[in-house]
Amino acid sequence: MSETVLPAAQQIFLDPMIWGVVIVAAFYGVFLGAMPGLTATMGVALFVPMTFWLEPLPALAAIVTMVACAIFAGDIPTTLMRIPGTPASAAYADDAYLLAQRGEAPTALGIMLWFSVTGGLFGALVLMLLGNQLARCASWFSVAEYFWLYLMGISCAVIVGGSSVARSLLGLLIGLLFSTVGLSAVHGQARFVFGQPELFQGISFIPAMIGLFGLSEVLRGSLGLDRSLTAPTAAVQARSLLGPALSLFPTRILAWMRSSTLGALIGILPGAGADIASWVSAAVSKRRSRTPEQYGKGSTECLADASAANSASLAGAWIPALVFGIPGDSVTAIVIGVLYMKNLKPGPEIFETQGVLVFSLYLIFILANLVLLPVGMLAIRTGGLIMRIPRRVLLPVIVLLCIVGAYAVGGSLFDVWLMFGFGLLGLACERWKISIGALVLGMILGGPLEERFVQTLAGGDGSLWAFVDRPVAAGLALVCLLVWLSVAVSAHRSSRLLAAGDSEV
Amino acid sequence: MILRRKLAVPPSRPPQVRWLSRSWIGNSFVSVALGLLLFALGCSAEREFPNQPISLICPWSAGGGTDRVARQVAAQLESELGVPVNVINAIGGSGVTGHTRGAVARADGYTLTMITVELSMLHWRGLTSVTHEDFAPLQLLNRDPAALFVRKDSVFQSLDDLQAAIDSAAASGKKLKASGTAYGGIWHIATAGWLDRRGLAPDAVNWVSINGAGPSIQELLAGGIDFLCCSLPEADAVLDAQVRCLGVMSDERISGFEDVPTFQEQAHDWSIAGWRGIAAPRETPPERLQVLGDALARVTATESFRDFMAAAGFDISLEAPAEFAQTLQRQDRLFGDILTSEALRGVSGEHFGPLMFPTIVAIGLVVVLVVVSIELWREQAVMIGETSPAGAVEAAAGDGAEPAGSAGAQNRFGYPVAVAVAVIFYIVASEPLGFVTTAMVMLAGLLCAFRVRLPVALSVAVLTALVTYQVFGLLLRVPLPRGFLEW
């Protein structure tokens, strides 16, 4: 071990080149994540040509740092404008935004920053110690196991979602139905496209997400423009940004460890990344919480656990990429290309032949998260200036950001129409308290869920036994069943409570 | 005026706002000066083709073999042409999505497509009307013969072992499972063609439709399928360590994989290969095709491209446009013969229809909708006599809510309507007018509708539009609409 640790540490911490690259990449990543519509993936793809001039290690360092910072920075527009900067922030968008509306934006952002950093560090540690062994878990997962995993993922939306189970479920089903628009991945046949060539690819969920969260909030805010005299005054220049986070941290050590471990494990599975990690973690967190009624209404526990999980998942995604050459998420897909470009062949032997490189990679994760702390604080303070702009001026600017963000994904004005339509839908959902988060998750996971569903059926020649005839699949199915049972029980209990409350009135 | 009145309310006026409410002259001076500066920065690009970002459509998912080649070509083409070349993964539908999008793209040379062997297959299967005739071929990059893989711990040691197992499994009614690509994709046809050549039914194997070789390898490792068909480089990372190659469907051994026996050596007379190339839409102007073709020829001749292909194990095979066009025609006939043959016509269907999943979801939706309606109806009943339900929507209504003036009450719905009008205006106007002009007009209009003072509205509109253009258009390379002013 020590013959890899020492040279790796020297390579990372003593090289000014690495430091320089990491710091520049941190700023770039924060900037990118904070811009609505631009995901971490897009940023990394934009960066690929630059890796030509870099040695493998600085190139990988830049990618790691960029993504870690972008995932946190996505929380900034989520909190201040309710536009999730990256899909990973959608799970707790309402909690963060409501806290900001109460003037607690610095608290919320400070918590998210602190837990992102520590979650990322924990994720890196888990991989450093267990990465090689954990890689094997990924190879247990066939399409049937993925089917149950995705099903559990969408169930989380129902757990996290607002007041009523039925309305979260409604949002989820609407989202799932939207996800079936376009050419189906398995059959290659067009569905619900109404002759629109743009719809063949399906409804891209980033414009939809920007519309549902961002534009609908502008529309809603403009409704009350003449009534609210004072813009929510958030003292972002509060004396201590991290104070509340640091006092929260000791009370949530166990939750933090649980969320980070969960995030790292989800990250390892190809096809499940930061977005699913934050949903699952938020759901588990709500189930274990003593104040579940706060979730969705500005719960700091939810913010802490979900941010820790989505940052911890990032390192996990590198494991299948390094070991099997199978990307754990869209970013590592690009990383594999970069590795090949640098003549580094992924595969199980990379741990032996490139032991120093792999260990250096872990250290880069640690370095990236350490750099994120000051850079993130700077970004929060800069972003906080937004809160001082009067709402009459801010809302039109947000409209432009929504438009450009929706357009940036595919360079198509059709996406702007989509964003607009989903903005109106979002307004309607708010009116009837249908969970928007569940809707977005349904759209994200609908495609993969259907694919695994049909693949499992086809693999089993149409028999439903194919879903449970492997031990891991059966185990996951059982967990799924238990989750639903517990949701049903608690829904039943809360409806009885509600009925009791009604009779008192 | 209104803005001022509103702003006077908080006890200490923040510095940002003080700046906004400066005098009209000072404001406009600042914004004009900044505007000129940013204009100068924005207009530095020369007008010769290419002067905009180029999109390279990849019909397969990120991280797969095609994607890797696409990204390598894009990166090198970018330094060759001096404009950004962005890879777009338009995936799904066994390659239909990407090829169709590439064929119908504007024929201005700014959209290229990484065409793959599926182009010669899809229209024979009736999945699309797009054929090689919709493209102007630019450069053939490589050919990859198909190969069959099993897990390292598998009992199958040779093609004959596998064939016998397939035969007996099919006879017993529990077929072996295989994958490598979506249903009807190249590796599926390669497998089915091999089975047919050996006298077995093409559907003697249960093909699981999985998009891309990467996820299929995962499935093989997880034991979800019994064998895998894909190209050698696609399975390179796990070859020998986790999987064993039973044979490659080519006449000669492949360089870089000299240990892998061919089908011919094992007396299985069958060879088939996938290929990848770059093409532009058919109607692209010839002089632009020339520029692109020359650039691609230079890229593929470089040491670094060859090194990359060798390192990744892709069998390089270069053909210039004219030659490539002939190859495309030959390929089209070849796959036409295979896919329309009696034996293979059976594989073109899929058992579980595309409407099954949407139907399940829709049924659930109807049920839940009924439950929610009941809930809403109950709430309404409870609310009567409590509060007015209309007020429930607005969380924004703060503590210091001012009694709405007469104008305010009328305009309450005016604001959201103004937002809607602004978005629609942008969608309609941005293509002809260009991004910067449209954004300025839209913002100024919307700010005025929100009753911000005109000078403030104008300066905010000009500044925001320019900064957004700089950030998204130039720094982040989003191809914003350019309009007649090219700006």
Side-chain angles (χ1 to χ4, degrees), chain B residues 388-474:
Chain B
S388 87
V393 191
E394 286 135 32
D399 20 318
E402 162 192 63
S406 57
Q410 275 167 18
N411 278 345
R412 219 183 123 228
F413 291 100
Y415 293 136
V417 170
V419 171
V421 170
V423 175
I424 293 172
F425 168 78
Y426 177 91
I427 296 172
V428 175
S430 62
E431 295 262 89
L433 288 182
F435 171 76
V436 177
T437 323
T438 318
M440 280 182 194
V441 173
M442 185 204 89
L443 271 181
L446 195 55
L447 285 161
C448 286
F450 276 30
R451 293 193 273 152
V452 174
R453 288 187 311 132
L454 186 67
V456 178
L458 285 179
S459 8
V460 170
V462 170
L463 272 180
T464 313
L466 290 173
V467 169
T468 316
Y469 175 75
Q470 293 292 320
V471 168
F472 280 86
L474 300 181

Side-chain angles (χ1 to χ4, degrees), chain B residues 95-356:
Chain B
V96 174
T97 312
H99 285 109
T100 311
R101 191 165 159 193
V104 301
R106 200 183 293 173
D108 56 5
Y110 287 108
T111 307
L112 306 179
T113 310
M114 185 85 176
I115 56 173
T116 60
V117 64
E118 281 75 15
L119 180 63
S120 306
M121 303 164 54
L122 292 170
H123 70 104
W124 292 111
R125 295 171 56 210
L127 289 177
T128 173
S129 55
V130 172
T131 71
H132 67 97
E133 306 212 323
D134 294 299
F135 286 100
L138 288 169
Q139 179 76 49
L140 178 72
L141 299 171
N142 85 309
R143 272 179 229 268
D144 283 316
L148 291 184
F149 303 85
V150 291
R151 258 159 51 134
K152 186 86 179 195
D153 55 12
S154 163
V155 291
F156 311 131
Q157 297 291 341
S158 69
L159 290 175
D160 290 329
D161 287 356
L162 183 61
Q163 191 192 328
I166 290 170
D167 202 14
S168 64
S172 72
K174 192 144 172 47
K175 295 176 187 175
L176 292 195
K177 291 187 261 183
S179 190
T181 183
Y183 208 86
I186 171 67
W187 310 133
H188 181 203
I189 298 305
T191 310
W194 168 63
L195 293 172
D196 184 46
R197 186 61 60 94
R198 302 301 292 178
L200 298 174
D203 60 352
V205 167
N206 201 343
W207 192 264
V208 182
S209 178
I210 297 177
N211 263 312
S216 304
I217 294 170
Q218 156 88 25
E219 190 69 12
L220 182 74
L221 298 181
I225 52 175
D226 300 293
F227 69 98
L228 166 80
C229 179
C230 67
S231 69
L232 280 163
E234 282 172 319
D236 191 21
V238 284
L239 188 60
D240 295 335
Q242 264 109 0
V243 304
R244 180 168 59 233
C245 183
L246 294 183
V248 56
M249 302 185 190
S250 67
D251 300 337
E252 284 159 26
R253 292 200 176 195
I254 308 300
S255 69
F257 299 95
E258 282 82 3
D259 300 341
V260 175
T262 67
F263 269 47
Q264 293 290 344
E265 288 168 30
Q266 302 179 57
H268 287 230
D269 178 27
W270 177 246
S271 63
I272 194 164
W275 49 262
R276 305 181 174 98
I278 306 273
R282 186 79 193 171
E283 306 296 329
T284 309
E287 65 277 7
R288 291 190 176 186
L289 288 178
Q290 190 71 42
V291 172
L292 293 167
D294 290 350
L296 280 166
R298 286 197 299 275
V299 164
T300 48
T302 55
E303 195 77 14
S304 51
F305 181 75
R306 286 174 180 282
D307 286 351
F308 163 79
M309 294 298 269
F314 295 119
D315 220 9
I316 203 163
S317 171
L318 302 176
E319 280 178 15
E323 224 182 322
F324 187 16
Q326 284 174 4
T327 304
L328 282 177
Q329 258 168 19
R330 277 201 307 276
Q331 284 282 311
D332 201 58
R333 274 201 303 276
L334 173 76
F335 280 100
D337 288 345
I338 300 178
L339 284 163
T340 52
S341 74
E342 196 58 45
L344 281 179
R345 214 171 287 163
V347 303
S348 297
E350 169 69 72
H351 313 293
F352 305 99
L355 288 178
M356 180 175 66

Side-chain angles (χ1 to χ4, degrees), chain A residues 28 31-32 35-36 38 45-46 48-49 52 138-144 146 164 166-167 169-170 173-174 176-177 179-180 183-189 191-192 200-201 215 218-230 270 323-327 330 333-334 336-337 340-341 343 345-349 385 388-393 395-397 399-401 403-405 407-408 410-411 413 416-417 419-420 431-433 446 449-455 457-462 470 502 505, chain B residues 2-3 6-7 9 14-17 20 62-63 68 71-72 75-76 78 86 90 93 96-97 101 127 175 177 182-183 206 208-211 214 217-219 221-224 233 236-238 241-242 308 311-312 350 352-358 360-362 364-365 368-369 371-372 375-376 379 382 386 389 393-398 400-402 408 412-413 415-416 419-420 423-424 426-427 430-431 435 439 442-443 446-447 450-452 460 464-465 468 471-472 475-481:
Chain A
Y28 180 64
F31 172 70
L32 208 84
M35 289 289 146
L38 294 171
L46 284 173
V48 165
F52 261 128
S139 66
W140 298 338
F141 273 64
S142 79
V143 284
Y146 274 108
S164 127
R167 277 178 237 191
L169 209 55
L170 185 64
L173 288 167
I174 295 174
L176 287 176
L177 206 57
S179 79
T180 62
L183 283 177
S184 79
V186 198
H187 317 90
Q189 287 178 38
R191 299 178 302 195
F192 316 119
F200 272 67
Q201 291 181 77
L215 190 69
V218 171
L219 291 168
R220 216 163 61 118
S222 71
L223 265 174
L225 202 55
D226 280 338
R227 305 237 244 132
S228 58
L229 195 63
T230 45
V323 178
F324 302 119
I326 298 168
S330 37
I334 299 171
I336 292 174
Y340 270 104
M341 211 148 78
N343 256 330
K345 207 169 86 176
E349 67 274 19
L385 297 177
R388 305 218 219 143
I389 302 172
R391 283 182 79 77
R392 283 173 190 282
V393 178
L395 290 183
V397 174
V399 172
L400 185 71
L401 272 183
I403 291 176
V404 179
Y407 185 85
L413 280 174
V416 184
W417 275 119
M419 187 276 295
F420 180 55
R431 172 68 186 84
W432 287 293
K433 294 185 190 151
L449 181 73
E450 178 187 5
E451 229 181 295
R452 306 295 173 241
F453 178 66
V454 176
Q455 283 161 356
L457 268 184
D461 237 350
R470 293 162 52 91
D502 288 348
V505 174
Chain B
I2 285 158
L3 185 67
K6 300 277 176 212
L7 293 173
V9 176
Q16 244 56 31
V17 179
L20 285 175
R68 286 214 296 274
R71 286 185 192 278
Q72 176 70 19
Q76 288 196 259
E78 177 161 311
N86 303 319
V96 174
T97 312
R101 191 165 159 193
L127 289 177
K175 295 176 187 175
K177 291 187 261 183
Y183 208 86
N206 201 343
V208 182
S209 178
I210 297 177
N211 263 312
I217 294 170
Q218 156 88 25
E219 190 69 12
L221 298 181
D236 191 21
V238 284
Q242 264 109 0
F308 163 79
E350 169 69 72
F352 305 99
L355 288 178
M356 180 175 66
F357 185 76
I360 296 173
V361 173
L365 193 63
V368 174
L369 210 55
V371 176
V372 171
E375 262 186 24
L376 280 171
E379 267 170 37
V382 172
E386 247 181 54
V393 191
E394 286 135 32
E402 162 192 63
R412 219 183 123 228
F413 291 100
Y415 293 136
V419 171
V423 175
I424 293 172
Y426 177 91
I427 296 172
S430 62
E431 295 262 89
F435 171 76
M442 185 204 89
L443 271 181
L446 195 55
L447 285 161
F450 276 30
R451 293 193 273 152
V452 174
V460 170
T464 313
T468 316
V471 168
F472 280 86
L475 206 58
L476 299 173
R477 296 168 168 188
V478 174
L480 293 168

Side-chain angles (χ1 to χ4, degrees), chain A residues 421-439:
Chain A
F422 275 94
L424 298 181
L425 181 69
L427 201 61
C429 286
E430 297 280 352
R431 172 68 186 84
W432 287 293
K433 294 185 190 151
I434 296 165
S435 164
I436 289 179
L439 208 161

Side-chain angles (χ1 to χ4, degrees), chain A residues 248-462:
Chain A
L248 181 69
F249 189 59
T251 65
R252 295 198 64 78
I253 291 279
L254 281 177
W256 165 75
M257 282 168 74
R258 180 190 66 214
S259 309
S260 310
T261 314
L262 208 58
L265 291 177
I266 290 172
I268 288 173
L269 298 172
D275 41 2
I276 300 177
S278 63
W279 276 104
V280 172
S281 166
V284 172
S285 164
K286 185 178 178 183
R287 291 316 268 175
R288 305 295 298 270
S289 170
R290 255 178 256 130
T291 53
E293 69 283 351
Q294 285 294 313
Y295 282 68
K297 298 186 184 98
S299 159
T300 50
E301 292 175 11
C302 177
L303 293 183
D305 289 356
S307 335
N310 65 20
S311 293
S313 77
L314 298 176
W318 286 65
I319 289 298
L322 291 173
V323 178
F324 302 119
I326 298 168
D329 61 7
S330 37
V331 169
T332 40
I334 299 171
V335 168
I336 292 174
V338 173
L339 286 176
Y340 270 104
M341 211 148 78
K342 296 289 172 197
N343 256 330
L344 295 167
K345 207 169 86 176
E349 67 274 19
I350 199 169
F351 288 97
E352 282 99 56
T353 58
Q354 299 286 343
V356 177
L357 179 100
V358 173
F359 206 81
S360 304
L361 201 60
Y362 297 148
L363 293 181
I364 288 171
F365 268 100
I366 291 172
L367 181 65
N369 279 293
L370 292 178
V371 168
L372 171 59
L373 197 61
V375 174
M377 281 167 76
L378 199 66
I380 293 174
R381 296 215 189 273
T382 316
L385 297 177
I386 291 175
M387 297 304 265
R388 305 218 219 143
I389 302 172
R391 283 182 79 77
R392 283 173 190 282
V393 178
L394 184 60
L395 290 183
V397 174
I398 296 182
V399 172
L400 185 71
L401 272 183
C402 288
I403 291 176
V404 179
Y407 185 85
V409 185
S412 142
L413 280 174
F414 185 81
D415 285 342
V416 184
W417 275 119
L418 271 184
M419 187 276 295
F420 180 55
F422 275 94
L424 298 181
L425 181 69
L427 201 61
C429 286
E430 297 280 352
R431 172 68 186 84
W432 287 293
K433 294 185 190 151
I434 296 165
S435 164
I436 289 179
L439 208 161
V440 170
L441 191 68
M443 287 182 71
I444 294 177
L445 287 187
L449 181 73
E450 178 187 5
E451 229 181 295
R452 306 295 173 241
F453 178 66
V454 176
Q455 283 161 356
T456 310
L457 268 184
D461 237 350

